[in-house]
Amino acid sequence: MKPTAFKAEPFALPFDPATTALVMIDMQRDFVEPGGFGEALGNDVNFVRSAIGPCQKVLAAARTAGIMVIHTREGHRADLTDCPPAKLTRGGKTFIGEPGPMGRILVRGEKGHDIIPELYPIAGEPVIDKPGKGAFYQTDLQLVLQNGNIKTLIVCGVTTEVCVTTTVREANDRGFECIVPQDCVGSYFPEFQKYALEMIKAQGAIFGWVSDARSIVDALAA
Ligand code: C5J
């Protein structure tokens, strides 16, 4: 495949498929299905489920193009020793580690912690388990990307203003160029979705580029 460019805002982003990876952030039951962490916090998961279909299209295009595909999962050890006390009791309530309809909330190995079937990893796709919001924090993501000679990241997943943009900021500081397809990311808060995306591309792509599933699929197929 030849180097080409993604149609994007604030301007097109040239990329080389050989050095481009898709990073699918936290498309876990705990965030996008009823009964998980997102809903326990009082959110309506229907707001984030709209990202599933576009993510499926980009994931399929990435697999067909043969670019690296990486998945992340937010969650904690069963004994919660990797969960900061403040995170455990945010809002004065404890949800993480509590039993729920999909097992213990945000605990590794539980049903709710797993990636949704619609976007399930296939053999050879690294899955990065992260204890924090950013996918680089206390993980080997940077090592995986460096070893793969990756320079450009297509970042999809949930939630836009939390784990997606935290990861985009971390990646930007590490020298990666990030493009976020706006219909492939989801927030429980429509206004946060709008402004989080605007922040990425403001000031001449200060953190990265914003595009959409169709443009990513077209560019990967070109
Ligand atoms: C949150 C995430 N929202 N994956 N996590 O707590 O965005």
Side-chain angles (χ1 to χ4, degrees):
M1 209 189 277
K2 291 195 189 83
T4 177
F6 291 119
K7 200 173 137 205
E9 291 182 340
F11 48 86
L13 173 65
F15 75 101
D16 180 346
T19 59
T20 299
L22 169 64
V23 183
M24 197 63 76
I25 302 282
D26 301 356
M27 289 304 282
Q28 299 161 251
R29 293 192 148 114
D30 261 327
F31 292 107
V32 304
E33 290 186 0
F37 183 56
E39 196 178 73
L41 290 171
N43 301 304
D44 178 352
V45 294
N46 286 312
F47 282 112
V48 292
R49 293 188 62 79
S50 59
I52 297 174
C55 279
Q56 284 180 299
K57 291 185 181 141
V58 168
L59 180 59
R63 285 172 176 162
T64 302
I67 69 167
M68 179 183 269
V69 175
I70 295 171
H71 305 259
T72 74
R73 301 184 295 201
E74 180 179 350
H76 297 281
R77 295 168 179 265
D79 62 7
L80 305 181
T81 49
D82 60 348
C83 186
K87 185 178 179 185
L88 267 181
T89 55
R90 279 294 150 80
K93 295 197 178 110
T94 300
F95 296 115
I96 299 171
E98 294 294 307
M102 296 186 290
R104 294 179 64 206
I105 287 180
L106 230 56
V107 168
R108 293 180 191 156
E110 301 287 343
K111 183 178 175 190
H113 177 263
D114 209 356
I115 293 170
I116 57 171
E118 296 93 319
L119 297 168
Y120 212 74
I122 58 173
E125 294 176 350
V127 177
I128 307 282
D129 278 318
K130 62 189 188 62
K133 305 306 184 197
F136 288 86
Y137 176 68
Q138 299 288 351
T139 74
D140 59 2
L141 177 58
Q142 187 157 357
L143 192 60
V144 171
L145 295 174
Q146 270 169 3
N147 290 344
N149 193 30
I150 297 299
K151 315 252 180 272
T152 307
L153 306 180
I154 305 162
V155 185
C156 301
V158 295
T159 61
T160 313
E161 76 281 10
V162 185
C163 292
V164 171
T165 47
T166 302
T167 299
V168 166
R169 287 164 197 240
E170 287 181 328
N172 181 67
D173 280 348
R174 286 164 174 79
F176 297 99
E177 292 185 321
C178 296
I179 183 161
V180 178
Q182 57 194 355
D183 44 350
C184 296
V185 292
S187 170
Y188 305 117
F189 305 93
E191 70 275 28
F192 291 175
Q193 169 87 356
K194 173 174 160 35
Y195 290 115
L197 290 166
E198 282 187 17
M199 283 180 205
I200 292 170
K201 66 182 179 184
Q203 303 174 79
I206 191 129
F207 297 123
W209 285 256
V210 174
S211 185
D212 54 63
R214 179 77 264 155
S215 301
I216 301 289
V217 169
D218 288 349
L220 289 177

